[in-house]
């Protein structure tokens, strides 16, 4: 095996009250691998990736991230989160800080980096997401697409081992989706390990090494994209794909 | 609809209201003048604001102005202390742990559900007999060099009253701190949970999340209610006159009794309080507008 397993989920179960959201989830993600998770809304796909950086707690099973098992030890959790970047549907930038301050906060406050160094790094990543000229603006002055790209840069500034994307284009106007997807494709090509929850099947076809289809809290099917799109095994996957690809 | 700037035009309704107002004032004036047979004598008041000191050959503050200065000092220090208490307990109120939440809840409920006067009578006994000796203020003042003493006098007023003023500050701050706590709690809770998630996901600890993400946003939101609370604090500072803190209201009682010019003294005192509070209101207005421009 040439690449190490970075994320491993084994028999993960989770309940919100009586509602069984995740049922026996098994998932392995290797270094440099790109996994796209899709499925109808309410199928638990967001919950899975939120469990990986412990914004949600699972009740049964094991989650191991970069060799660290996620349990109730809090120091452990903060260390894991520094290595796992997360991009949210609603961007969640810090509105009281400028773009560059958003990007510098993590490196300076969570990693103890000097301001000058953090600033250089932030500018580097802002250039990579193609908005270095917006560095001194506040998030409220930017378009949705620009905000999402800042959010991606903010995560990258922590130089994480894995990036999680939780429907990163779902809150965007159609004309802005492409600029965000382009940035994500760049990132995938640079060798970043990524787990992406999305309905953008074109993007999935381009970058995914592995497609994961979820329904009603279960992983129904896992397959490489060629087989997943051309020849899905499960009836449920076929139905979903026919609905989502027909328009 | 566009809001028009500049002088608003007056309608007939405004004139009616204005006329009623004048009539009411005139009526009260008439009653005081004729029925009460009160003889106004404003001439005594200036002397109680400032008097000419023969020994020092200069004007010095007399009772009422001394009281005003003490009230201002009292209010300023209480605001600082109440803000400190409010931030600490406000954060504890939103803690995920039970103990800090319980502690600050008990503090807030105890204070909010007991009348201020009653609280201050009980609490003052405790402060004056237990806390003040512990702080060692008296010794500090006695052993201070003239230079330190000058500073202490500037900050807390006449040296022989310092321990008196500090007792008042602690009482007021403990009392107002509970309300500030509630304001801070509401401010913190008004910041969406997604901000917490974003902060945690870049690896911030809970403490740093609070310090760099939540509090800065919460503070901006609580400036208006906090301003209101601080103005209330200035007015509430008159309560501590009952535990012999020698601030404006306490000295006004003395002045009113010794001069027997009750109306004149209290109207003057009301004017002084009004000036201080209105000045605060203007200051907070200005601050709020400045913060809005920054955004």
């Amino acid at each position: 095996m040439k690449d190490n397993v970075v994320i491993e989920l084994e028999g993960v179960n989770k309940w919100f009250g009586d509602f069984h959201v995740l049922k026996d989830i098994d998932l392995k993600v290797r270094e440099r691998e790109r996994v796209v998770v899709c499925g109808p809304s309410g199928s638990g796909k967001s919950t899975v990736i939120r469990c990986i950086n412990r914004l949600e707690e699972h009740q049964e099973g094991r989650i191991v991230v970069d060799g660290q098992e996620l349990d109730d030890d809090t120091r452990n959790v903060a260390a894991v989160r520094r290595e796992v970047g997360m991009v949210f549907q609603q961007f969640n930038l810090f509105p009281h800080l400028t773009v560059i301050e958003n990007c510098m906060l993590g490196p300076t406050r969570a990693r103890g980096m000097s301001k000058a160094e953090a600033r250089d790094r932030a500018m580097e990543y802002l250039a990579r997401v193609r908005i270095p000229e917006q560095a001194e603006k506040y998030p409220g002055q930017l378009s949705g697409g620009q905000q999402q790209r800042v959010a991606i840069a903010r995560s990258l500034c922590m130089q994480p081992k894995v990036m999680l994307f939780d429907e990163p284009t779902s809150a965007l106007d159609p004309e802005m989706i492409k600029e965000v997807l382009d940035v994500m494709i760049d990132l995938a090509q640079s060798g970043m390990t990524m787990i992406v929850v999305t309905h953008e099947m074109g993007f999935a076809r381009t970058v995914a090494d592995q497609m994961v289809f979820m329904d009603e809290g279960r992983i129904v099917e896992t397959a490489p994209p060629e087989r997943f799109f051309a020849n899905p095994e499960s009836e449920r996957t076929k139905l979903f794909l026919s609905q989502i690809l027909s328009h | 609809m566009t809001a028009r700037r500049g002088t608003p035009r007056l309608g007939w309704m405004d004139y009616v209201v204005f006329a009623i107002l004048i009539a009411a004032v005139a009526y009260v004036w008439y009653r005081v003048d004729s029925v009460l047979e009160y003889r106004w004598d404003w001439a005594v008041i200036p002397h109680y604001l400032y008097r000419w000191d023969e020994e020092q050959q200069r004007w010095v503050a007399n009772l009422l102005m001394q009281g005003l200065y003490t009230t201002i000092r009292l209010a300023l220090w209480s605001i600082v202390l109440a803000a400190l208490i409010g931030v600490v307990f406000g954060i504890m109120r939103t803690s995920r742990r039970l103990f800090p939440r319980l502690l600050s809840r008990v503090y807030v409920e105890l204070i909010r559900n007991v009348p201020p006067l009653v609280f201050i009578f009980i609490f003052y006994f405790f402060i004056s007999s237990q806390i003040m000796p512990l702080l060692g203020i008296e010794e500090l003042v006695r052993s201070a060099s003239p230079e330190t003493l000058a500073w202490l006098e500037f900050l807390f007023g006449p040296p022989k009253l310092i321990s008196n003023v500090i007792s008042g500050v602690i009482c007021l701050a403990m009392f107002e701190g509970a309300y500030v706590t509630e304001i801070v709690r509401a401010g913190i809770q008004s910041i969406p949970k997604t901000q917490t998630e974003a902060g945690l996901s870049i690896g911030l600890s809970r403490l740093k999340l609070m310090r760099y993400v939540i509090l800065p946003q919460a503070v901006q939101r609580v400036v208006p209610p906090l301003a209101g609370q601080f103005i209330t604090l200035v007015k509430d500072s008159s309560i501590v006159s009952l535990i012999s803190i020698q601030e404006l209201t306490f000295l006004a009682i003395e002045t009113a009794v010794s001069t027997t010019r009750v109306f004149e003294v209290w109207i003057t005192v009301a004017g002084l309080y009004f000036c201080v509070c209105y000045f605060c209101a203007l200051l907070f207005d200005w601050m709020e507008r400045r913060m809005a421009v920054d955004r």
Side-chain angles (χ1 to χ4, degrees), chain B residues 116-140:
Chain B
L117 265 180
V118 175
F119 167 80
I120 276 174
F121 278 135
I122 298 171
F123 195 68
Y124 178 65
F125 171 74
F126 180 66
I127 291 183
S128 60
S129 70
Q130 302 296 320
I131 295 185
M132 292 316 288
L134 207 68
L135 286 175
I137 303 285
E138 301 281 348
E139 283 92 281
L140 184 79

Side-chain angles (χ1 to χ4, degrees), chain A residues 52-54 65-70 73-85 110-111 158-162, chain B residues 200-205:
Chain A
I52 293 173
N53 70 352
R54 211 164 170 80
V65 179
D66 193 30
Q68 297 254 31
E69 182 166 356
L70 294 182
D73 185 351
T74 41
R75 272 169 304 164
N76 182 348
V77 171
V80 165
R81 281 180 182 142
R82 285 199 283 272
E83 306 305 331
V84 180
R111 284 220 198 270
M158 291 299 287
Q159 301 196 317
K161 294 207 169 79
V162 188
Chain B
L200 290 179
S201 77
I202 56 168
L204 295 177
S205 64

Side-chain angles (χ1 to χ4, degrees), chain B:
Chain B
M1 272 206 293
T2 53
R4 267 181 307 130
R5 295 192 150 260
T7 35
R9 206 173 300 162
L10 296 174
W12 63 271
M13 195 61 174
D14 298 301
Y15 292 112
V16 171
V17 171
F18 198 56
I20 291 173
L21 208 67
I22 287 181
V25 170
Y27 178 70
V28 171
W29 191 264
Y30 165 77
R31 296 287 294 180
V32 171
D33 213 34
S34 64
V35 183
L36 272 177
E37 286 184 31
Y38 188 79
R39 269 192 33 255
W40 294 92
D41 180 13
W42 286 94
V44 299
I45 296 298
H47 172 74
Y48 284 94
L49 296 173
Y50 288 99
R51 66 182 173 84
W52 177 257
D53 191 292
E54 285 295 336
E55 260 171 62
Q56 298 178 55
Q57 287 296 307
R58 67 188 180 95
W59 290 97
V60 294
N62 204 354
L63 290 181
L64 291 182
M65 285 317 276
Q66 282 172 10
L68 181 66
Y69 295 152
T70 305
T71 289
I72 290 172
R73 288 192 178 100
L74 197 64
L76 279 179
W77 289 113
S78 302
I79 284 173
V80 171
L81 196 58
L84 220 69
I85 293 173
V87 168
V88 171
F89 278 82
I91 290 173
M92 280 164 65
R93 259 322 235 119
T94 63
S95 170
R96 290 182 311 159
R97 289 176 217 283
L98 182 64
F99 179 70
R101 231 171 39 226
L102 210 65
L103 189 70
S104 59
R105 180 74 194 267
V106 166
Y107 164 63
V108 168
E109 296 302 347
L110 267 184
I111 294 209
R112 280 204 307 192
N113 296 300
V114 173
L117 265 180
V118 175
F119 167 80
I120 276 174
F121 278 135
I122 298 171
F123 195 68
Y124 178 65
F125 171 74
F126 180 66
I127 291 183
S128 60
S129 70
Q130 302 296 320
I131 295 185
M132 292 316 288
L134 207 68
L135 286 175
I137 303 285
E138 301 281 348
E139 283 92 281
L140 184 79
V141 173
R142 229 176 289 135
S143 62
S145 67
E147 216 172 285
T148 359
L149 215 56
W151 270 105
L152 282 175
E153 177 153 9
F154 175 71
L155 295 173
F156 296 103
K160 63 178 193 302
L161 287 178
I162 283 182
S163 122
N164 181 281
V165 167
I166 289 179
S167 310
V169 167
I170 296 176
C171 275
L172 260 182
M174 281 297 290
F175 183 71
E176 300 288 335
Y179 295 90
V180 178
T181 297
E182 279 305 280
I183 291 171
V184 170
R185 176 193 60 78
I188 290 173
Q189 286 176 345
S190 75
I191 307 301
K193 238 190 109 210
T194 52
Q195 288 286 307
T196 303
E197 291 183 349
L200 290 179
S201 77
I202 56 168
L204 295 177
S205 64
R206 288 266 163 194
L207 203 71
K208 286 177 174 170
L209 175 80
M210 189 51 88
R211 164 81 180 73
Y212 297 108
V213 177
I214 308 296
L215 273 187
Q217 296 185 59
V219 163
Q220 274 177 2
R221 295 193 187 191
V222 300
V223 163
L226 220 48
Q229 192 59 46
F230 287 152
I231 290 168
T232 304
L233 184 147
V234 174
K235 290 181 286 177
D236 283 355
S237 72
S238 63
I239 293 175
V240 298
S241 62
L242 281 152
I243 50 172
S244 310
I245 311 298
Q246 307 199 6
E247 44 66 76
L248 185 52
T249 302
F250 182 86
L251 293 177
I253 295 173
E254 285 194 346
T255 311
V257 170
S258 66
T259 58
T260 67
R261 307 317 306 170
V262 179
F263 273 128
E264 288 89 336
V265 168
W266 286 113
I267 290 172
T268 307
V269 167
L272 292 174
Y273 273 116
F274 180 86
C275 288
V276 173
C277 291
Y278 193 62
F279 173 77
C280 287
L282 291 179
L283 186 74
F284 287 129
D285 257 11
W286 174 78
M287 273 171 64
E288 222 178 291
R289 258 179 287 126
R290 249 194 57 142
M291 286 173 98
V293 171
D294 279 352
R295 274 278 65 77

Side-chain angles (χ1 to χ4, degrees), chain A residues 34-40 45 196 198-206 208-215 218-245:
Chain A
R34 277 94 61 173
V35 175
V36 170
V37 184
C38 62
K45 45 195 199 309
V196 185
T198 186
H199 294 296
E200 296 292 334
M201 290 301 132
F203 168 82
R205 256 191 245 262
T206 317
D209 297 311
Q210 213 186 150
M211 294 296 300
V212 172
F213 175 70
M214 286 186 69
D215 191 24
R218 261 177 230 290
I219 292 183
V220 177
E221 187 161 356
T222 305
E226 311 81 51
R227 203 174 75 210
F228 183 82
F229 288 109
N231 203 359
E233 277 171 17
S234 121
E235 285 304 312
R236 189 66 196 87
T237 315
K238 278 179 201 164
L239 179 64
F240 176 75
L241 285 174
S242 72
Q243 283 167 340
I244 205 166
L245 294 176

Side-chain angles (χ1 to χ4, degrees), chain A residues 22-39:
Chain A
L22 299 181
K23 300 168 186 160
D24 301 319
I25 302 290
D26 294 312
L27 183 69
K28 260 187 199 160
V29 181
R30 293 172 203 290
E31 220 169 278
R32 304 173 76 83
E33 199 173 22
R34 277 94 61 173
V35 175
V36 170
V37 184
C38 62

